[in-house]
Amino acid sequence: NAGVTQTPKFQVLKTGQSMTLQCAQDMNHEYMSWYRQDPGMGLRLIHYSVGAGITDQGEVPNGYNVSRSTTEDFPLRLLSAAPSQTSVYFCASSYSRRSGNTDTQYFGPGTRLTVL
Amino acid sequence: SQQGEEDPQALSIQEGENATMNCSYKTSINNLQWYRQNSGRGLVHLILIRSNEREKHSGRLRVTLDTSKKSSSLLITASRAADTASYFCATDEGARGSARQLTFGSGTQLTVLP
């Protein structure tokens, strides 16, 4: 299994540009999420999904959109990039979260995004 | 807002010594997890302790949980240079049966000197 994969690894955008960060997992996990990590801070949840067709907002959703058309993929879209979105973005997945406690989350390697 | 806060923010020790990191949180939790992040990499799960557990071991790792004090500690025994990383606690405080989330602290940067 490849686990959780993210592309691209690095990206530089200009203010106002849009782009999609890709995330895929091959573990048949129902739960997927996107976090951003800023220097000296922990991870903050952007959006998450408990299964195909279901998404919800996390702590810092503004400026980002997500969709979950398949179990495997969970892309994150930046609608109009701003310098404040310069960060490292991590995608994670875990087993079913619809009932029971949270499970171990498996993280991708991250995407380093710079917005000029 | 961040639920878990780690203490200290940075810790530097000699190889072979023990390292202790603490995590405090604010609300009731279902479980608490510890993750490690090597520089420039994603997070790796270390250990999960449920709210009805008080102590858990995994290899050189020992985690304790005190729900009355809303705190947890991670002990790494006989540290190695390869343990150099950032360590994060994450709490699950959502209602049972709902779509819950993990809330991460800001991390402890551990440096193990050879």
Side-chain angles (χ1 to χ4, degrees):
Chain A
N1 287 350
V4 180
T5 58
Q6 291 183 239
T7 57
K9 290 186 177 180
F10 302 93
Q11 183 70 49
V12 178
L13 294 177
K14 295 181 179 179
T15 297
Q17 288 184 317
S18 62
M19 79 159 294
T20 299
L21 279 63
Q22 302 292 342
C23 174
Q25 52 91 10
D26 60 359
M27 297 175 282
N28 202 32
H29 286 170
E30 291 191 6
Y31 183 89
M32 297 185 74
S33 54
W34 276 102
Y35 296 88
R36 60 177 289 174
Q37 184 178 34
D38 299 300
M41 298 184 69
L43 277 69
R44 291 184 292 169
L45 184 65
I46 304 171
H47 286 284
Y48 65 98
S49 168
V50 298
I54 306 170
T55 64
D56 207 345
Q57 297 180 350
E59 181 184 354
V60 288
N62 293 340
Y64 307 94
N65 272 358
V66 291
S67 60
R68 185 91 180 273
S69 56
T70 66
T71 300
E72 295 77 20
D73 301 297
F74 190 44
L76 177 72
R77 297 184 190 84
L78 279 69
L79 308 174
S80 178
S84 61
Q85 293 179 305
T86 293
S87 189
V88 182
Y89 291 85
F90 290 99
C91 178
S93 72
S94 65
Y95 290 112
S96 174
R97 297 273 300 276
R98 300 188 195 194
S99 61
N101 292 327
T102 49
D103 293 303
T104 298
Q105 291 207 27
Y106 296 82
F107 283 82
T111 294
R112 293 184 176 273
L113 176 67
T114 301
V115 182
L116 303 175
Chain B
S1 61
Q2 293 188 322
Q3 163 78 316
E5 292 296 331
E6 288 90 344
D7 171 60
Q9 290 187 341
L11 179 62
S12 183
I13 60 173
Q14 294 294 133
E15 205 165 25
E17 294 181 338
N18 295 342
T20 299
M21 289 158 270
N22 302 297
C23 171
S24 60
Y25 56 92
K26 299 173 183 174
T27 63
S28 298
I29 61 171
N30 297 307
N31 67 54
L32 185 146
Q33 303 180 33
W34 284 91
Y35 287 81
R36 183 187 73 222
Q37 183 181 35
N38 290 90
S39 180
R41 309 291 290 272
L43 277 72
V44 175
H45 180 262
L46 294 176
I47 196 165
L48 180 154
I49 186 166
R50 302 198 184 280
S51 59
N52 61 353
E53 298 175 314
R54 292 297 168 259
E55 188 171 313
K56 207 162 184 180
H57 297 254
S58 177
R60 294 185 294 113
L61 305 180
R62 173 179 169 253
V63 170
T64 61
L65 179 64
D66 187 335
T67 53
S68 66
K69 295 181 179 179
K70 292 185 170 60
S71 66
S72 173
S73 67
L74 170 67
L75 169 68
I76 304 174
T77 60
S79 62
R80 306 166 182 167
D83 294 329
T84 294
S86 293
Y87 292 82
F88 296 89
C89 68
T91 52
D92 165 12
E93 73 272 5
R96 182 169 298 278
S98 69
R100 289 188 295 282
Q101 311 161 25
L102 284 180
T103 303
F104 285 82
S106 55
T108 292
Q109 172 60 51
L110 173 66
T111 302
V112 181
L113 303 170

